Amino acid sequence: MATAQTGTGRSNQKQRTRTAIVDAARELIGAGSEVTMPEIARAALVSEATAYRYFPDLPSLIGEALAGVWPDPVDALAPVADSRDPVERIAFACEFLLRGILARQGGVRAMMAATIVRPDTESMRPGIRFGLIDHALAPLSATLGVTDPEAFVQLKRSLAVVVGADALFTLTDQVGLTPDEAVASAVRTARTLTEAAVRTAAEG
């Protein structure tokens, strides 16, 4: 009995430690702080070695910390749920995602940097944009998706280039736009791409 209780106590302690590490990562991400394994370990009051015992690398930890932070596409696009205009919907989805990235950019940048160095960890990056794009373009699935499915797929690919952290950070870091300007620029591009597709669907 004592052995079972000891085992349970050890298991509970491990779970508490894991939770503390994930919570610390979440707090650093939310605060916009630099997100590194040493900083996370320090915030969780554990050693860096302990953090690595629970998570083999930074992407796996950030991936778990970000899991559940983003709402699902239906909830995210609830404010435009009654709209059947794909242009309005994609503009909202684009701004929603990019504002969310800005709010969590410490974690997003750390994840991007880690996956560039180690491409095998790319699958750990949350694919939030794809779900948002699919849901935003739902009104087009019965029109363009039927009349020209290849064009519909290409629209989604084009939007995936625009609606994401890569494009956002290119606009802020390399082009020199402010975050608000960068978001507005990306939203305009997303609208333009979708408007062109809507015209194609109407002509078809």
Side-chain angles (χ1 to χ4, degrees), residues 60-118:
S60 63
L61 172 50
I62 293 176
E64 185 162 328
L66 288 176
V69 170
W70 292 92
D72 66 47
V74 174
D75 290 337
L77 271 62
V80 290
D82 294 334
S83 173
R84 301 304 296 165
D85 179 1
V87 177
E88 178 187 9
R89 290 168 65 88
I90 201 66
F92 184 89
C94 183
E95 178 147 6
F96 173 86
L97 180 67
L98 299 188
R99 294 287 179 194
I101 289 170
L102 286 171
R104 305 171 178 90
Q105 65 175 302
V108 175
R109 286 179 182 275
M111 178 69 88
M112 290 174 67
T115 54
I116 288 171
V117 175
R118 288 186 51 199

Side-chain angles (χ1 to χ4, degrees), residues 10-165:
R10 188 177 296 115
S11 175
N12 289 342
Q13 180 55 49
K14 285 184 176 179
Q15 186 55 51
R16 283 195 295 271
T17 301
R18 183 184 186 87
T19 299
I21 294 169
V22 173
D23 287 347
R26 229 171 246 150
E27 287 176 16
L28 287 173
I29 291 168
S33 307
E34 181 181 8
V35 181
T36 64
M37 199 63 99
E39 288 299 325
I40 293 170
R42 189 175 298 113
L45 303 178
V46 300
S47 69
E48 188 176 347
T50 296
Y52 275 115
R53 275 201 296 275
Y54 286 86
F55 298 93
D57 48 44
L58 190 59
S60 63
L61 172 50
I62 293 176
E64 185 162 328
L66 288 176
V69 170
W70 292 92
D72 66 47
V74 174
D75 290 337
L77 271 62
V80 290
D82 294 334
S83 173
R84 301 304 296 165
D85 179 1
V87 177
E88 178 187 9
R89 290 168 65 88
I90 201 66
F92 184 89
C94 183
E95 178 147 6
F96 173 86
L97 180 67
L98 299 188
R99 294 287 179 194
I101 289 170
L102 286 171
R104 305 171 178 90
Q105 65 175 302
V108 175
R109 286 179 182 275
M111 178 69 88
M112 290 174 67
T115 54
I116 288 171
V117 175
R118 288 186 51 199
D120 59 300
T121 61
E122 173 66 27
S123 61
M124 295 179 186
R125 284 179 65 177
I128 312 299
R129 76 179 92 179
F130 302 108
L132 286 172
I133 290 170
D134 284 346
H135 191 59
L137 295 182
L140 277 179
S141 60
T143 54
L144 185 64
V146 173
T147 60
D148 195 343
E150 187 175 339
F152 191 40
V153 170
Q154 185 55 51
L155 171 61
K156 291 183 178 183
R157 290 175 184 156
S158 299
L159 286 169
V161 175
V162 176
V163 184

